[in-house]
Amino acid sequence: MQDTHISTDLKSLHLSMLGIVSVMNRPANDLRLIKEAGITLDPALFRLLVVIERVGPIGVVELADRLGRDYTTISRQVAKLVAKELVTRQGNPADRRMREAVIAPKGKAMTDRLDAARARIAAGIFATWQPQDVKDLVRLMAKFSAALEATEQ
């Protein structure tokens, strides 16, 4: 027997997730964040740099999978980040054939500036929220994200 309340909540959750993904996928929002951070970075490389900083060291195949893009495109973009000294490549100790992307000091400085810009933008979004509501959102999103990723294993 299906619980109608849960079904309604799941539909609402899915709609909220679609809204979040939609906002995050808009190039204009990436440009806004880049401008707010005061950095110069090709918007095509923006997400790649952030993901490498957040989850690296990471191989190109996993990176392409996480970003929903073609391996060859990601490989070329990682090479551009390496050329700009924002990322370095290193061997994987478990698989000598694999090369992983790792954030370089110059790239970390850039993602730190992006984080500061993101915090300024978020301050406006959460200005009317109670601090506990923000903490609850962060806690529950982390819990949901971990559970969602665990189902892919």
Side-chain angles (χ1 to χ4, degrees):
M1 175 149 87
Q2 184 174 351
D3 186 333
T4 306
H5 175 70
I6 296 287
S7 177
T8 301
D9 285 348
L10 287 177
K11 284 182 181 180
S12 180
L13 174 63
H14 189 249
L15 181 60
S16 295
M17 288 172 45
L18 288 173
I20 291 167
V21 168
S22 175
V23 168
M24 290 186 75
N25 281 336
R26 291 183 189 138
N29 290 326
D30 292 349
L31 291 171
R32 175 184 175 203
L33 188 57
I34 289 167
K35 182 178 179 182
E36 176 71 26
I39 62 171
T40 303
L41 182 66
D42 179 343
L45 303 177
F46 164 75
R47 290 184 192 164
L48 192 61
L49 180 68
V50 171
V51 172
I52 291 168
E53 190 269 332
R54 294 293 193 260
V55 301
I58 185 169
V60 173
V61 172
E62 183 183 348
L63 196 51
D65 186 52
R66 281 182 177 267
L67 294 170
R69 308 239 299 279
D70 180 70
Y71 163 86
T72 57
T73 300
I74 295 299
S75 182
R76 281 192 304 274
Q77 289 176 328
V78 168
K80 288 178 183 179
L81 290 171
V82 169
K84 292 178 179 294
E85 299 178 343
L86 300 172
V87 168
T88 60
R89 303 295 299 265
Q90 70 180 27
N92 178 310
D95 184 348
R96 297 264 186 223
R97 298 168 296 169
M98 185 189 298
R99 304 270 301 151
E100 296 176 317
V102 182
I103 196 77
K106 189 175 170 184
K108 178 67 171 124
M110 190 173 280
T111 60
D112 287 348
R113 290 180 69 177
L114 288 163
D115 286 343
R118 191 177 289 110
R120 289 189 299 274
I121 292 168
I125 294 168
F126 295 121
T128 61
W129 288 42
Q130 293 297 316
Q132 189 59 49
D133 289 342
V134 176
K135 287 181 183 186
D136 289 344
L137 175 66
V138 171
R139 178 181 58 80
L140 292 170
M141 287 296 291
K143 183 177 181 178
F144 179 63
S145 176
L148 198 58
E149 286 192 36
T151 63
E152 291 188 353
Q153 305 299 331

